[in-house]
Amino acid sequence: MKVLVTGVAGQLGHDVMNELAARGIEGIGSDIRETYSGVEDGTAVTRMPYVQMDITEEMSVQKVLSETAPDVVVHCAAWTAVDAAEEEANREIVYKVNVLGTKHIASACKALGCKMVYISTDYVFDGQGEKPWDPDCKEYAPLNVYGETKLKGELAVSECLDQYFIVRIAWVFGKNGKNFIKTMLDLGKTRNALKVVCDQIGTPTYTLDLARLLVDMILTEKYGYYHATNEGEYISWYEFTKAIFRQARELGHEAYDASRLTVTPVTTAEYGVSKAARPFNSRLDRSKLTASGFAPLPTWQDALARYLKEIDY
C-alpha cells in the first residue's frame, strides 16, 4: 500500500506519516512548501519522501497524484485558524484551501480509484444542546466560516466518492504545531491568574492516537462518517486547563502550583474577544468506532499524561 498524506507540516499529518513508517507502509508527505517544513524532531517524517503540492491548484493536485499513484490519500491539510477565517481578507483563501482544495483531491482520487480520508470537525454542527452529535447526523448548521468551509469539503468528498472516510475530530493537540495545551502552559508560566471558558464542552483529540486509528481505517473498506476523539468524560476548557496544570505539577513543574496560579471559570460571553462564534456543545458520539470494529482511542487523561512527557515547557 502507498499512502499520500497532505499537510505534513501540521500536527496530524506529521503523526500519520510516522505511524505509516512504524507499520512499514509506504508514505509520501506533501505540503505547500518546497521542502518539509514541520518540526525537525528526527522522527521518520523528516526523512520520508516528500512532494510539494498546492491543493488550491487543480493541475498541481492532478500532477502529484498521477505521478505518485497512491492507494489512499489522507487529507490533513486545512485552514484551521478559526478566528482569522472570519476576516474578509482571508475568506477567499480559506474557501480555496478547505473547499476547492478538497474538491481537487476528491476528483483526483476518483480518477485513480483510490481511497480518501477527509479530516473534519464538530464545527459543521450548531453546537447547541447537550446530546453528543452522531456521526451520521445531517442537521448541519455551522456557526462560522471555518465550519462552513469544512462542511462544504465534506460534501465535496461524499458527493464525489464512494471509498471515503470522513472523520470529525475536536480540540486537537499534537507535537508539531500550536495548540491549546501549549498555549496554557506558556501563559501559566508568565501569569498568576487565568480565566478560561467553562461553558464549551467536548473532549480532546491527541494526534498521535488519532493517527493510529486512521491507519487502522485505511486498511479496511468500512467507509463512511466517524467521530474520533480520545475517550473519557466530556469536559469544559476550564476543566481541561485544570487537568493540564495538575498533571504538569505532578511531573515536577512547580510553576503551575495552585498556590501561585489561579484559574477562574468564565462563560463564553464573559470571556469575549473571539471573532468567530464557537459551539457550546462539541460532544461527539464515538460509539460507531467500536461498532465498526475499530479500537477506541485511549482516555484524554492518558493522552495528556503521555503528551506532557513528550514536549518541552
Side-chain angles (χ1 to χ4, degrees):
M1 176 177 281
K2 184 191 296 183
V3 183
L4 177 69
V5 183
T6 71
V8 294
Q11 296 182 105
L12 180 57
H14 171 278
D15 287 352
V16 171
M17 288 291 285
N18 285 336
E19 181 65 19
L20 292 170
R23 300 202 202 184
I25 299 172
E26 183 179 359
I28 302 168
S30 72
D31 218 304
I32 188 67
R33 299 286 180 85
E34 187 174 349
T35 57
Y36 170 74
S37 60
V39 62
E40 291 290 348
D41 57 1
T43 58
V45 63
T46 63
R47 303 182 300 273
M48 293 171 76
Y50 176 91
V51 59
Q52 182 181 25
M53 180 170 66
D54 182 352
I55 63 171
T56 69
E57 295 292 337
E58 187 173 13
M59 294 303 295
S60 174
V61 173
Q62 290 179 352
K63 181 176 186 294
V64 169
L65 266 71
S66 62
E67 290 179 353
T68 56
D71 300 293
V72 186
V73 176
V74 180
H75 183 32
C76 301
W79 178 290
T80 57
V82 177
D83 285 329
E86 295 296 311
E87 297 176 13
E88 194 63 41
N90 291 332
R91 292 194 179 194
E92 182 179 0
I93 187 61
V94 176
Y95 181 85
K96 283 184 175 180
V97 172
N98 289 352
V99 184
L100 291 184
T102 303
K103 282 184 177 180
H104 296 156
I105 291 170
S107 296
C109 286
K110 183 176 183 178
L112 290 171
C114 67
K115 303 176 184 180
M116 179 175 176
V117 179
Y118 176 66
I119 306 303
S120 194
T121 170
D122 65 286
Y123 278 46
V124 301
F125 303 116
D126 67 7
Q128 300 304 303
E130 296 183 357
K131 182 181 178 181
W133 297 101
D134 183 90
D136 293 306
C137 173
K138 304 299 183 186
E139 296 172 10
Y140 307 123
L143 301 175
N144 53 45
V145 172
Y146 169 68
E148 289 172 3
T149 57
K150 290 300 288 182
L151 173 58
K152 288 177 179 176
E154 283 191 11
L155 297 174
V157 173
S158 64
E159 291 169 2
C160 181
L161 299 172
D162 296 318
Q163 299 180 101
Y164 66 84
F165 302 89
I166 292 175
V167 183
R168 299 194 190 103
I169 60 179
W171 298 18
V172 182
F173 65 94
K175 186 176 179 182
N176 183 28
K178 298 178 180 179
N179 57 60
F180 181 81
I181 297 175
K182 289 181 179 179
T183 298
M184 289 300 102
L185 290 171
D186 288 343
L187 291 174
K189 285 190 293 189
T190 57
R191 300 186 185 180
N192 294 324
L194 294 175
K195 293 181 179 180
V196 184
V197 170
C198 63
D199 57 356
Q200 296 175 23
I201 310 299
T203 39
T205 311
Y206 186 13
T207 54
L208 188 72
D209 296 333
L210 178 61
R212 292 170 182 158
L213 171 66
L214 297 181
V215 177
D216 286 345
M217 282 184 169
I218 64 175
L219 297 174
T220 76
E221 296 180 356
K222 298 176 181 179
Y223 305 118
Y225 290 78
Y226 292 92
H227 287 167
T229 69
N230 283 93
E231 292 291 313
E233 72 273 19
Y234 299 111
I235 53 169
S236 68
W237 288 113
Y238 164 74
E239 291 166 323
F240 191 32
T241 302
K242 295 282 282 187
I244 293 166
F245 292 156
R246 181 175 63 253
Q247 289 200 18
R249 288 196 303 272
E250 291 170 355
L251 290 171
H253 296 271
E254 297 180 2
Y256 306 105
D257 193 278
S259 62
R260 185 197 70 79
L261 178 59
T262 302
V263 183
T264 303
V266 295
T267 65
T268 299
E270 289 170 335
Y271 187 77
V273 309
S274 178
K275 290 182 179 179
R278 295 300 204 281
F280 291 103
N281 180 17
S282 290
R283 300 171 180 87
L284 293 178
D285 185 333
R286 304 163 295 228
S287 59
K288 188 176 178 181
L289 288 177
T290 50
S292 300
F294 296 116
L297 277 60
T299 66
W300 63 261
Q301 294 94 332
D302 175 77
L304 174 60
R306 286 180 284 120
Y307 182 67
L308 290 176
K309 292 175 183 176
E310 284 288 319
I311 61 172
D312 297 322
Y313 54 100

Short mmCIF file of all heavy atoms in Angstrom, two decimals, residues 14 19 43 45 48 85 87 97 107 111 126 140 149 167-168 177 196 198 201 204 206 216 234 247 258 266 278 300:
data_model
loop_
_atom_site.label_atom_id
_atom_site.label_comp_id
_atom_site.label_asym_id
_atom_site.label_seq_id
_atom_site.Cartn_x
_atom_site.Cartn_y
_atom_site.Cartn_z
N HIS A 14 1.96 15.06 10.41
CA HIS A 14 3.24 14.63 10.99
C HIS A 14 3.11 13.26 11.62
O HIS A 14 3.90 12.34 11.36
CB HIS A 14 3.66 15.69 12.02
CG HIS A 14 4.84 15.32 12.87
ND1 HIS A 14 4.72 14.53 14.00
CD2 HIS A 14 6.16 15.65 12.79
CE1 HIS A 14 5.91 14.39 14.56
NE2 HIS A 14 6.79 15.05 13.85
N GLU A 19 3.27 7.08 11.82
CA GLU A 19 2.53 5.84 12.06
C GLU A 19 2.65 4.91 10.85
O GLU A 19 2.82 3.69 11.01
CB GLU A 19 1.07 6.14 12.37
CG GLU A 19 0.22 4.91 12.67
CD GLU A 19 0.63 4.16 13.93
OE1 GLU A 19 1.32 4.76 14.78
OE2 GLU A 19 0.26 2.97 14.05
N THR A 43 12.18 12.32 13.73
CA THR A 43 11.30 11.18 13.50
C THR A 43 11.23 10.85 12.02
O THR A 43 11.74 11.59 11.18
CB THR A 43 9.88 11.45 14.05
OG1 THR A 43 9.34 12.62 13.42
CG2 THR A 43 9.91 11.66 15.56
N VAL A 45 9.11 11.06 9.64
CA VAL A 45 8.54 12.01 8.69
C VAL A 45 9.59 12.94 8.10
O VAL A 45 9.49 13.36 6.95
CB VAL A 45 7.39 12.82 9.33
CG1 VAL A 45 7.90 13.67 10.48
CG2 VAL A 45 6.69 13.69 8.29
N MET A 48 11.22 10.82 5.23
CA MET A 48 10.37 10.12 4.26
C MET A 48 10.21 10.94 2.97
O MET A 48 10.44 12.15 2.98
CB MET A 48 9.02 9.79 4.89
CG MET A 48 9.12 8.77 6.03
SD MET A 48 7.58 8.58 6.96
CE MET A 48 6.61 7.59 5.82
N ALA A 85 -10.23 33.13 9.95
CA ALA A 85 -11.09 32.80 8.82
C ALA A 85 -12.25 33.78 8.68
O ALA A 85 -12.83 33.92 7.59
CB ALA A 85 -11.63 31.38 8.96
N GLU A 87 -12.06 36.98 8.94
CA GLU A 87 -11.63 38.25 8.35
C GLU A 87 -11.90 38.25 6.84
O GLU A 87 -11.58 37.29 6.15
CB GLU A 87 -10.15 38.48 8.64
CG GLU A 87 -9.84 38.60 10.12
CD GLU A 87 -8.36 38.71 10.41
OE1 GLU A 87 -7.58 38.95 9.46
OE2 GLU A 87 -7.98 38.55 11.58
N VAL A 97 -8.66 26.71 0.16
CA VAL A 97 -7.98 25.61 0.85
C VAL A 97 -8.97 24.53 1.28
O VAL A 97 -8.82 23.35 0.97
CB VAL A 97 -7.19 26.13 2.06
CG1 VAL A 97 -6.66 24.96 2.90
CG2 VAL A 97 -6.04 27.02 1.61
N SER A 107 -11.58 14.63 -6.60
CA SER A 107 -11.67 14.35 -8.04
C SER A 107 -10.51 13.50 -8.53
O SER A 107 -10.68 12.57 -9.32
CB SER A 107 -11.72 15.67 -8.83
OG SER A 107 -12.88 16.40 -8.53
N ALA A 111 -10.50 9.64 -10.08
CA ALA A 111 -9.86 9.26 -11.33
C ALA A 111 -8.93 8.08 -11.15
O ALA A 111 -8.80 7.24 -12.05
CB ALA A 111 -9.11 10.46 -11.91
N ASP A 126 -24.33 23.07 14.89
CA ASP A 126 -24.55 24.38 15.52
C ASP A 126 -24.09 24.45 16.97
O ASP A 126 -24.14 25.52 17.58
CB ASP A 126 -26.02 24.80 15.39
CG ASP A 126 -26.98 23.92 16.19
OD1 ASP A 126 -26.52 23.04 16.96
OD2 ASP A 126 -28.20 24.11 16.04
N TYR A 140 -26.84 19.85 9.70
CA TYR A 140 -25.70 20.76 9.64
C TYR A 140 -26.15 22.21 9.84
O TYR A 140 -27.15 22.64 9.27
CB TYR A 140 -24.99 20.65 8.29
CG TYR A 140 -24.59 19.25 7.90
CD1 TYR A 140 -25.03 18.69 6.71
CD2 TYR A 140 -23.79 18.48 8.73
CE1 TYR A 140 -24.66 17.40 6.33
CE2 TYR A 140 -23.42 17.20 8.37
CZ TYR A 140 -23.86 16.65 7.18
OH TYR A 140 -23.50 15.38 6.82
N THR A 149 -16.84 26.09 5.59
CA THR A 149 -15.94 25.58 4.55
C THR A 149 -15.59 24.11 4.78
O THR A 149 -15.43 23.34 3.83
CB THR A 149 -14.65 26.42 4.45
OG1 THR A 149 -13.98 26.45 5.73
CG2 THR A 149 -14.97 27.84 4.01
N VAL A 167 -13.80 11.84 8.90
CA VAL A 167 -13.54 11.68 10.33
C VAL A 167 -13.56 13.04 11.01
O VAL A 167 -12.70 13.88 10.75
CB VAL A 167 -12.19 10.98 10.57
CG1 VAL A 167 -11.98 10.74 12.07
CG2 VAL A 167 -12.12 9.66 9.81
N ARG A 168 -14.56 13.26 11.85
CA ARG A 168 -14.66 14.53 12.58
C ARG A 168 -13.94 14.43 13.91
O ARG A 168 -14.09 13.44 14.64
CB ARG A 168 -16.13 14.93 12.80
CG ARG A 168 -16.90 15.12 11.51
CD ARG A 168 -18.21 15.83 11.75
NE ARG A 168 -19.04 15.79 10.54
CZ ARG A 168 -20.07 14.97 10.36
NH1 ARG A 168 -20.41 14.11 11.32
NH2 ARG A 168 -20.76 14.99 9.23
N GLY A 177 3.30 21.76 16.21
CA GLY A 177 2.46 22.93 15.97
C GLY A 177 1.88 23.51 17.24
O GLY A 177 2.12 23.03 18.34
N VAL A 196 -10.64 30.99 32.01
CA VAL A 196 -10.84 30.01 30.95
C VAL A 196 -12.33 29.67 30.83
O VAL A 196 -13.02 29.53 31.85
CB VAL A 196 -10.02 28.72 31.22
CG1 VAL A 196 -10.17 27.74 30.06
CG2 VAL A 196 -8.55 29.05 31.45
N CYS A 198 -15.84 28.01 30.53
CA CYS A 198 -16.37 26.82 31.21
C CYS A 198 -17.68 26.30 30.61
O CYS A 198 -18.21 25.28 31.09
CB CYS A 198 -16.57 27.10 32.69
SG CYS A 198 -17.80 28.39 33.02
N ILE A 201 -18.23 22.53 25.88
CA ILE A 201 -17.99 21.17 26.36
C ILE A 201 -17.61 20.24 25.22
O ILE A 201 -18.24 20.25 24.16
CB ILE A 201 -19.25 20.62 27.07
CG1 ILE A 201 -19.78 21.60 28.11
CG2 ILE A 201 -18.94 19.26 27.70
CD1 ILE A 201 -18.82 21.94 29.24
N PRO A 204 -10.82 16.25 24.14
CA PRO A 204 -9.63 16.49 23.33
C PRO A 204 -9.30 15.30 22.40
O PRO A 204 -9.76 14.18 22.61
CB PRO A 204 -8.52 16.68 24.38
CG PRO A 204 -9.25 16.88 25.68
CD PRO A 204 -10.52 16.14 25.56
N TYR A 206 -5.77 13.65 20.72
CA TYR A 206 -4.31 13.61 20.58
C TYR A 206 -3.98 13.04 19.21
O TYR A 206 -4.37 11.93 18.88
CB TYR A 206 -3.73 12.75 21.69
CG TYR A 206 -2.22 12.70 21.78
CD1 TYR A 206 -1.40 13.59 21.09
CD2 TYR A 206 -1.59 11.75 22.58
CE1 TYR A 206 -0.03 13.55 21.19
CE2 TYR A 206 -0.21 11.70 22.71
CZ TYR A 206 0.57 12.59 22.00
OH TYR A 206 1.95 12.55 22.11
N ASP A 216 -5.46 2.35 10.89
CA ASP A 216 -6.34 1.18 11.03
C ASP A 216 -7.47 1.25 10.00
O ASP A 216 -7.81 0.25 9.36
CB ASP A 216 -6.96 1.13 12.43
CG ASP A 216 -5.98 0.72 13.51
OD1 ASP A 216 -4.91 0.20 13.18
OD2 ASP A 216 -6.31 0.92 14.70
N TYR A 234 -16.88 13.99 28.99
CA TYR A 234 -16.89 15.29 28.34
C TYR A 234 -16.53 16.35 29.37
O TYR A 234 -16.97 16.30 30.52
CB TYR A 234 -18.26 15.57 27.73
CG TYR A 234 -18.67 14.57 26.67
CD1 TYR A 234 -19.71 13.68 26.90
CD2 TYR A 234 -18.01 14.52 25.45
CE1 TYR A 234 -20.09 12.75 25.93
CE2 TYR A 234 -18.38 13.60 24.48
CZ TYR A 234 -19.42 12.71 24.73
OH TYR A 234 -19.78 11.80 23.76
N GLN A 247 -1.46 17.82 36.05
CA GLN A 247 -0.51 16.80 35.59
C GLN A 247 0.89 17.38 35.44
O GLN A 247 1.88 16.69 35.71
CB GLN A 247 -1.00 16.20 34.27
CG GLN A 247 -2.22 15.31 34.42
CD GLN A 247 -2.39 14.36 33.25
OE1 GLN A 247 -1.44 14.10 32.49
NE2 GLN A 247 -3.57 13.79 33.10
N ALA A 258 -0.83 25.46 42.32
CA ALA A 258 -2.09 26.16 42.54
C ALA A 258 -1.97 27.31 43.52
O ALA A 258 -2.79 28.24 43.51
CB ALA A 258 -3.15 25.17 43.02
N VAL A 266 -15.05 31.14 33.42
CA VAL A 266 -15.90 32.22 32.93
C VAL A 266 -16.75 31.69 31.78
O VAL A 266 -16.39 30.71 31.13
CB VAL A 266 -15.08 33.44 32.44
CG1 VAL A 266 -14.33 34.09 33.59
CG2 VAL A 266 -14.13 33.04 31.32
N ARG A 278 -18.26 30.20 18.64
CA ARG A 278 -17.80 28.86 18.99
C ARG A 278 -18.97 28.00 19.45
O ARG A 278 -19.89 28.47 20.11
CB ARG A 278 -16.77 28.92 20.13
CG ARG A 278 -15.45 29.62 19.83
CD ARG A 278 -14.71 28.96 18.69
NE ARG A 278 -13.29 29.17 18.70
CZ ARG A 278 -12.67 30.26 18.28
NH1 ARG A 278 -13.37 31.29 17.85
NH2 ARG A 278 -11.35 30.34 18.29
N TRP A 300 -8.58 10.75 27.38
CA TRP A 300 -7.86 12.01 27.21
C TRP A 300 -6.90 12.25 28.37
O TRP A 300 -5.85 12.88 28.19
CB TRP A 300 -8.82 13.18 27.04
CG TRP A 300 -9.73 13.49 28.18
CD1 TRP A 300 -11.05 13.12 28.32
CD2 TRP A 300 -9.42 14.26 29.36
NE1 TRP A 300 -11.56 13.59 29.50
CE2 TRP A 300 -10.59 14.31 30.15
CE3 TRP A 300 -8.28 14.91 29.81
CZ2 TRP A 300 -10.65 14.98 31.38
CZ3 TRP A 300 -8.32 15.58 31.03
CH2 TRP A 300 -9.49 15.61 31.80
#
